[in-house]
Amino acid sequence: MSEQAEKRYRLQLMLCAGTGCVSNKSFKIKEVLEKELQKHGLEEEVSVVMTGCIGFCAVGPLMTVMPDKIFYHSL
């Protein structure tokens, strides 16, 4: 089991990496989120996880905050 898999995070930011979201810059959003988490000292509490397609490509990029189940679109 990897070190990442063993860690427990308070929140996971589930960011879509489906084709539609990638074309709408989801990887750039991941980069910015990780920089901001590090800047605020939250990288040990919050992780950014790239997921498969969530299914709402027309309003991507998409992100779900877990475990709170908060859904963001058109980031």
Side-chain angles (χ1 to χ4, degrees):
M1 188 175 273
S2 72
E3 181 180 325
Q4 177 90 6
E6 293 176 12
K7 281 188 169 180
R8 297 238 179 216
Y9 292 96
R10 183 172 56 87
L11 294 173
Q12 291 183 316
L13 307 179
M14 312 299 283
L15 189 58
C16 180
T19 304
C21 290
V22 168
S23 69
N24 283 308
K25 302 183 177 25
S26 62
F27 281 102
K28 179 64 178 171
I29 292 169
K30 178 183 189 285
E31 181 183 316
V32 170
L33 286 169
E34 288 175 338
K35 283 181 183 178
E36 287 298 310
L37 289 170
Q38 188 174 31
K39 184 167 107 177
H40 295 282
L42 296 170
E43 67 273 13
E44 297 297 320
E45 293 183 49
V46 182
S47 68
V48 180
V49 179
M50 299 306 287
T51 70
C53 180
I54 298 173
F56 300 107
C57 302
V59 294
L62 308 169
M63 183 175 73
T64 305
V65 180
M66 297 302 285
D68 298 341
K69 298 180 184 174
I70 299 169
F71 179 73
Y72 292 96
H73 63 84
S74 306
L75 296 170

